[in-house]
Amino acid sequence: MLSIRNLIVFTSIACLALVGMLYFDLYQPAFAAKFIASTSFVALAIKAGALESTYGRLILLGLGFSWCGDMFLTGQSQLAFLAGLCAFLLGHVAYVSAFIRHGYHRAWVFVAAVPVLAVAVAVLAWLAPHTPPDLAIPVRAYVAVISLMVIFAYGTCGRDGSILIVAGATLFFLSDLSVAALRLAQTGYPTYVLGLPFYYAGQVCLALSVSHSRSH
């Protein structure tokens, strides 16, 4: 039986392998590395006790949608990107639901909303010239939902929320910026070099957060 530590190690090693394989254009082995890394964070949540609370089950649902999004984004077509976007959007909805279920403090939510929404507006302005017309609405919806996810993650701090929730949500947000830069803005720099470690670290944090929220 794999331990929590082993699953974290598997996720980390597979993530680093994925970055290296993508950098050297080894796409087929990269798919295998992504499958291992993403499956490991789902297994990690289950091992940490996700099935023992409503919060945990909602986090597990979000991780499951994220797993689907990861698989969709292995494709290079616009349809694959849209499918991945929708899967991750549903994942963020599940995370928001989990944080609300956990409990949040309105003051923390209002304070977090100001900088997060300012960043969201700036991101949308940055992406607007690079976003195809048929992706405009999905991209705006995605930015709105992930912003809510981060806001409510910080909101849990007022209700004894684990730092893992805040870390996971923030890292996920940063990783999505890297995806947007690569797939929409098409920057020359391989942003996945930072984005993928941020993403998997964020998912690991959210998976581990279920062990601190078994009463919710």
Side-chain angles (χ1 to χ4, degrees):
M1 182 68 69
L2 292 174
S3 66
I4 288 178
R5 180 179 297 180
N6 287 340
L7 287 169
I8 294 173
V9 170
F10 280 4
T11 306
S12 303
I13 292 175
C15 171
L16 293 176
L18 173 60
V19 171
M21 291 171 185
L22 288 176
Y23 190 81
F24 290 105
D25 298 329
L26 302 172
Y27 295 113
Q28 289 185 338
F31 176 82
K34 177 178 279 192
F35 178 85
I36 293 171
S38 299
T39 302
S40 294
F41 65 58
V42 174
L44 176 62
I46 296 173
K47 184 68 176 178
L51 298 176
E52 299 176 17
S53 67
T54 302
Y55 171 85
R57 288 189 289 272
L58 287 168
I59 289 294
L60 183 60
L61 181 62
L63 293 170
F65 279 125
S66 297
W67 185 94
C68 293
D70 287 334
M71 298 306 107
F72 285 133
L73 289 183
T74 57
Q76 298 299 312
S77 69
Q78 186 167 300
L79 180 60
F81 178 75
L82 180 59
L85 194 71
C86 291
F88 279 114
L89 188 149
L90 292 173
H92 290 309
V93 170
Y95 290 147
V96 171
S97 301
F99 302 154
I100 291 174
R101 171 64 185 179
H102 176 284
Y104 61 92
H105 196 288
R106 290 183 181 179
W108 281 84
V109 167
F110 291 144
V111 170
V114 175
V116 172
L117 292 179
V119 171
V121 170
V123 168
L124 285 173
W126 166 54
L127 291 178
H130 309 286
T131 305
D134 53 339
L135 287 181
I137 292 177
V139 167
R140 290 170 187 167
Y142 188 85
V143 172
V145 171
I146 193 173
S147 298
L148 282 176
M149 190 267 292
V150 175
I151 290 169
F152 278 99
Y154 278 86
T156 65
C157 292
R159 289 290 184 266
D160 299 320
S162 168
I163 189 63
L164 291 169
I165 296 176
V166 172
T170 302
L171 287 166
F172 206 153
F173 186 86
L174 293 174
S175 74
D176 276 339
L177 291 181
S178 77
V179 173
L182 189 66
R183 299 296 290 267
L184 292 176
Q186 297 183 342
T187 56
Y189 177 77
T191 55
Y192 57 79
V193 171
L194 291 176
L196 284 171
F198 284 163
Y199 169 72
Y200 282 103
Q203 297 288 47
V204 165
C205 286
L206 291 174
L208 291 175
S209 74
V210 305
S211 64
H212 296 266
S213 305
R214 292 184 181 179
S215 62
H216 297 279

